[in-house]
Amino acid sequence: MCGIVGYIGKRDSVPLIVEGLRRLEYRGYDSAGVAVLAGDRVFIAKKAGKVADLQAMLDTGPVSGTLGIGHTRWATHGEPTDVNAHPHTDCNGTIVVIHNGVIENFRALKTTLMRDGHTFTSETDTEVVAHLIEEIRKEVSDLGEAVRLALLQLEGTYGLVVMSAENPEMFVAARKGSPLVIGYGEGENIVASDASAIVEHTRTVTYLEDGQMAIVRRDGVSIRTLDDAEIPKAVEHISFDVEQIEKGGFDHFMLKEISEQPETIRNAMRGRLLVERGEVVLGGLQPVRDKLFDAQRIILIGCGTSWHAGLVGEYMLEQIAKIPTEVEYASEFRYRNPLLGPRDVVFLISQSGETADTLAALREAKKRGATVLGIVNVVGSTIARESEAGVYIHAGPEIGVASTKAFTSQLTVLSLITLLLARGRGMAAQDAVVLTRELDAIPAKVKSILENAARIREIAREFKDADHFLYLGRGANFPVALEGALKLKEISYIHAEGYPAAEMKHGPIALIDERMPVVFIAPKDAIYDKVVSNIQEVKARKGRIIAIANEDDQDIESMAEFVIRVPRTYGFFGPILNVVPLQLLSYFIAVARGTNVDQPRNLAKSVTVE
Ligand code: G6P
């Protein structure tokens, strides 16, 4: 969601912060701002709009300083206006705060502070933090201590950074529920909400834990708990390169990420798939192997695209590994009082590893005694760290807000987990080899779909002005229909619904006329004939049919107006292939409509508030 960058060192902080904000813009982006210590006063520039608008504002009135903080906002409290943009200050502009998260008791705090004479300028929850610190500083002059005492009064979540015009030698960062990472340099230190804003300056970092705060100076950083105990720094190394967070010649991150899938799917299985032995090795699950094999039930939890991956996982785990599996929206699970026991294994599926609801579901499941495991992309993220064990999907940084490569990597990892469990529960090696060979062939098949992009672009042009779309699939391709519809609405703003193809007769069929595009996912699997019946039902009502079909399916041409070909595979790996043309279809439709593909309106890459 919102992005944070803080810098203290010997260089001019402004360009460094603005560049960091640009890299974080994908997280949330309705306004942006910076605060810089220039001489003995803090200069603030902030604006509704993109980081580029902030940059233009800074170009007209340049300012510099070696201590500064910056923020990109995704509004929670108060509209995205110039005034509500961060940073926020106390009454006289001395104490400056940027914040991610939600301060739940801000109304009560604000009422008290206003009664004590504080004047507020914005509608945000964040501004109370600046005034609260100002109030505490009347008694406690030390900035770090004043921030600590203020934090003890806050309810809700925060990743925040505080600087003061009276403290040119330091700033304070603190975390509860919203990620913050500290990067260490020579005579300079930098804090950000996401390592992508840091990686070009340093790769040596510490991920702050919940309930920790950091006093950041030019020559060092000390980390303390909110009980004021100094704790040793856990120093880690960022593993990705700057190139991985650049567009690399593509028009959009989304297209780059769609195109990377042959490699990212391969990376998800690298060293884990022993093809000719029909075996899977998942080192990350080794510590919980017994619990996993003894599980009476698996529960897959996620949000958005990650939840769709879970739905496909349910088909795989029940049909191949023969283990009862349920799939839950994290946001519903956490408030449902779920019945869980020690023989339940919960997998939290999350690209970012920071989604607030998924994290809360993890904590709820842990509290109830289940084994909690992560299927996560971002290494070192909160869900990865709080899980008992897990499997990284190794898709590399995903910047496009609409998730693509993470989805296919999540499906790949779910396939591996399914095979691992299937073997552990008695599947014979010769049966497993058939599946491991097929999984091994998936990256090449994805590559062949990508080579057909021009055809998909033509179809996109034909439908770019549609107002609605229907996506229909059956079995493991029903979640693919959901994912196809989600991709389209996210980036093109066309209303789209995914439905189980047969269920169409119980409602969506009423929508079908000669203007309704209907995308069928129709591979030649065990239920192909059933899908064909559904296609005929749509055709009879003059719907415009686009079919995702296998290369050797001759019959489909007579039924569908447009056909997108995909190679054959075994049923349960089908979703990994079938989703790729749907990603491309959405992408090309969005480009043809001229929307902001990588940063669609109102959406955020990582939803770190409830
Ligand atoms: C947001 C993103 C989606 C993503 C979902 C879950 O809504 O825009 O692309 O699928 O969050 O995110 P996660 O990081 O937990 O997979």
Side-chain angles (χ1 to χ4, degrees), residues 472-474 499-506 520 530-531 534 537:
L472 301 175
R474 299 186 77 141
Y499 244 79
E503 191 66 17
M504 168 193 68
K505 289 198 281 296
H506 301 284
F520 273 96
K530 307 281 174 200
V531 178
N534 302 136
E537 287 154 7

Side-chain angles (χ1 to χ4, degrees), residues 302-307 349-355 358 383 398 400-403 410 486-487 490 603-607:
C303 300
T305 291
S306 296
W307 180 72
I349 308 175
S350 176
Q351 186 285 128
S352 61
E354 301 293 349
T355 301
T358 312
I383 292 173
E398 191 180 64
V401 164
S403 184
Q410 287 166 341
L486 177 64
K487 287 290 85 76
E490 278 179 315
L603 294 175
K605 182 66 186 161
S606 171
V607 179

Side-chain angles (χ1 to χ4, degrees), residues 271-504:
R272 296 168 165 176
L273 188 67
L274 308 182
V275 180
E276 294 310 322
R277 286 166 56 180
E279 281 176 18
V280 166
V281 180
L282 291 169
L285 295 182
Q286 199 55 33
V288 292
R289 200 184 150 85
D290 292 346
K291 286 187 190 169
L292 196 55
F293 287 157
D294 189 42
Q296 64 181 13
R297 181 169 65 144
I298 287 185
I299 300 154
L300 305 170
I301 300 180
C303 300
T305 291
S306 296
W307 180 72
H308 292 162
L311 291 177
V312 178
E314 181 182 22
Y315 283 91
M316 294 174 176
L317 285 161
E318 291 210 331
Q319 308 273 330
I320 304 179
K322 312 267 183 247
I323 178 159
T325 304
E326 288 168 26
V327 189
E328 300 262 5
Y329 278 120
S331 54
E332 292 298 315
F333 175 86
R334 61 182 290 193
Y335 291 118
R336 200 170 54 73
N337 213 358
L339 294 177
L340 284 182
R343 288 190 60 205
D344 289 323
V345 170
V346 174
F347 279 98
L348 291 307
I349 308 175
S350 176
Q351 186 285 128
S352 61
E354 301 293 349
T355 301
D357 282 325
T358 312
L359 179 58
L362 180 158
R363 290 173 179 162
E364 186 62 36
K366 205 186 242 183
K367 208 165 71 193
R368 287 167 188 264
T371 300
V372 293
L373 309 175
I375 299 176
V376 170
N377 190 30
V378 177
V379 176
S381 57
T382 312
I383 292 173
R385 282 182 289 129
E386 292 198 14
S387 300
E388 227 173 300
V391 188
Y392 281 119
I393 64 171
H394 292 312
E398 191 180 64
I399 309 287
V401 164
S403 184
T404 52
K405 64 175 180 173
F407 181 68
T408 48
S409 294
Q410 287 166 341
L411 296 188
T412 307
V413 164
L414 284 163
S415 306
L416 294 173
I417 293 170
T418 300
L419 287 167
L420 180 78
L421 281 169
R423 289 302 311 273
R425 294 165 79 91
M427 179 185 265
Q430 71 265 28
D431 296 334
V433 164
V434 179
L435 296 172
T436 51
R437 282 194 188 140
E438 185 52 32
L439 193 54
D440 188 47
I442 291 288
K445 293 185 179 183
V446 169
K447 193 157 181 281
S448 76
I449 297 170
L450 294 171
E451 283 158 7
N452 258 330
R455 169 79 182 131
I456 300 172
R457 192 195 290 129
E458 282 168 25
I459 300 172
R461 286 204 192 106
E462 178 74 24
F463 290 100
K464 76 177 178 51
D465 297 318
D467 292 322
H468 308 276
F469 255 80
L470 202 53
Y471 287 74
L472 301 175
R474 299 186 77 141
N477 285 306
F478 157 52
V480 176
L482 292 177
E483 178 61 8
L486 177 64
K487 287 290 85 76
L488 188 71
K489 67 187 139 197
E490 278 179 315
I491 61 169
S492 73
Y493 317 142
I494 294 175
H495 167 243
E497 284 190 53
Y499 244 79
E503 191 66 17
M504 168 193 68

